[in-house]
Amino acid sequence: DTTLPGRMVVGYRGLSLALLRAWPSSVRNMSTQAKHSAKLQDKVAIVTASTDGIGLAIARRLGEDGAHVVVSSRKQANVDSAVAELEGLGCSVLGLTCHVAKDQDRQNLISKTLEKFGSIDILVSNAAVNPTMGGVLDCPESVWDKIFEVNVKNALQLTQLVVPHMQKQGGGGAVVYISSIAGFQPMNMLGAYSVSKTALLGLTKAVAQQVAFDNIRVNCVAPGIVKTNFSSVITQHPAVYEKILESIPLGRVADPKELGGIVSFLCSSDASYITGETFVVAGGMLSRL
């Protein structure tokens, strides 16, 4: 769940910093109780990289909306913590260790989900890495390969594993890829990462066309700057943070919970005629290729 901005845009100087930092009460007071609705009742959802940040917030919202949720991470301790949190909210949850770059882990994620819940209705591909800082021309080949392996290839491979089960269930299902505002507005210091996130926009279109006949819908969400551990490298530096806020018309970064609602919507019957689209959730940041 890594999201960083594209090029900085200067503006909104007339706003005070207090206003820029103020989050609306609707965000500050988001409910801590499970069950927003039952629109995903008894659906089975796999969310990768879902033990903190954006992934956990998405898993939580899907669970609150009635889905059986499978959370995963590379570390067992993180999985255990996420499972305890979601169970404490009354969610139905299974926790599994999974390094998406490992074939056996991907296979196990699918088989254990089917063993526990009997079906797979939703895949949210959130896992991503960014092991380097710098422009694309400065990116070592090995690092480039790693970024594209996890951020793009592994997302495709998980989809290839999940889709046949959705088809066997009679069609229907939803896949959501988590991209980034950087996929629209590349950031020089995140060159390779930005290109990998742009690739997900194309993957969304290509997969959506191939599985549409089976009524499997494939969409993408591109978050802006979200308050996570990854973004702390910028949000903890006041001068950098203030500069970034100037590029966000809403004048604040996002809470991870603000990604949960759009993903839940895309996975529900409310979005039954939406496929192949990318939804930007970035507070008004520029987002056109």
Side-chain angles (χ1 to χ4, degrees):
D1 43 20
T2 52
T3 53
L4 281 176
R7 62 171 180 260
M8 298 298 99
V9 180
V10 178
Y12 314 101
R13 293 190 183 278
L15 297 177
S16 67
L17 289 179
L19 176 59
L20 288 173
R21 291 195 176 100
W23 285 4
S25 59
S26 60
V27 177
R28 296 195 305 269
N29 299 324
M30 282 182 171
S31 173
T32 58
Q33 299 181 1
K35 305 300 180 186
H36 282 261
S37 72
K39 64 183 178 183
L40 298 178
Q41 191 66 43
D42 293 329
K43 299 294 184 182
V44 179
I46 294 174
V47 186
T48 62
S50 49
T51 59
D52 67 358
I54 292 173
L56 179 58
I58 291 171
R60 170 177 168 171
R61 181 57 184 266
L62 299 185
E64 289 173 338
D65 285 341
H68 304 290
V69 182
V70 181
V71 297
S72 64
S73 175
R74 290 182 295 175
K75 297 181 179 180
Q76 185 66 52
N78 294 343
V79 172
D80 293 342
S81 176
V83 168
E85 178 177 335
L86 295 179
E87 286 183 339
L89 294 170
C91 298
S92 171
V93 58
L94 170 66
L96 297 169
T97 55
C98 179
H99 189 321
V100 295
K102 296 181 178 180
D103 178 66
Q104 186 57 51
D105 280 14
R106 294 193 302 270
Q107 298 282 353
N108 185 66
L109 181 65
I110 304 307
S111 64
K112 293 296 184 182
T113 298
L114 292 171
E115 181 181 316
K116 174 71 173 180
F117 296 119
S119 63
I120 301 172
D121 304 289
I122 296 164
L123 170 65
V124 181
S125 180
N126 177 61
V129 297
N130 181 53
T132 190
M133 301 290 285
V136 290
L137 299 182
D138 304 314
C139 184
E141 181 179 356
S142 60
V143 175
W144 178 276
D145 290 345
K146 182 63 176 178
I147 289 172
F148 274 80
E149 178 186 20
V150 175
N151 297 8
V152 183
K153 186 175 81 171
N154 295 157
L156 172 62
Q157 289 173 319
L158 281 167
T159 309
Q160 291 171 322
L161 290 175
V162 166
V163 163
H165 295 287
M166 292 180 174
Q167 292 169 325
K168 288 177 184 177
Q169 293 160 198
V175 176
V176 178
Y177 298 121
I178 305 301
S179 178
S180 169
I181 190 69
F184 290 93
Q185 295 288 338
M187 188 177 186
N188 285 337
M189 293 306 293
L190 292 173
Y193 171 85
S194 299
V195 179
S196 76
K197 290 300 186 176
T198 303
L200 286 179
L201 312 184
L203 181 64
T204 298
K205 293 285 188 183
V207 177
Q209 290 183 13
Q210 186 170 352
V211 299
F213 182 78
D214 295 301
N215 196 33
I216 299 170
R217 297 176 298 101
V218 183
N219 291 292
C220 184
V221 172
I225 307 170
V226 184
K227 192 176 182 180
T228 63
N229 290 334
F230 182 85
S231 67
S232 64
V233 67
I234 53 175
T235 59
Q236 290 181 359
H237 292 78
V240 176
Y241 185 47
E242 290 168 18
K243 186 69 173 178
I244 287 171
L245 288 178
E246 292 179 352
S247 71
I248 308 174
L250 283 184
R252 62 178 179 85
V253 299
D255 186 290
K257 297 186 183 79
E258 293 180 284
L259 278 300
I262 182 67
V263 173
S264 182
F265 162 72
L266 290 172
C267 295
S268 76
S269 60
D270 290 339
S272 59
Y273 202 57
I274 300 174
T275 194
E277 301 296 337
T278 295
F279 293 80
V280 177
V281 185
M285 293 179 72
L286 294 179
S287 57
R288 293 293 179 269
L289 287 175

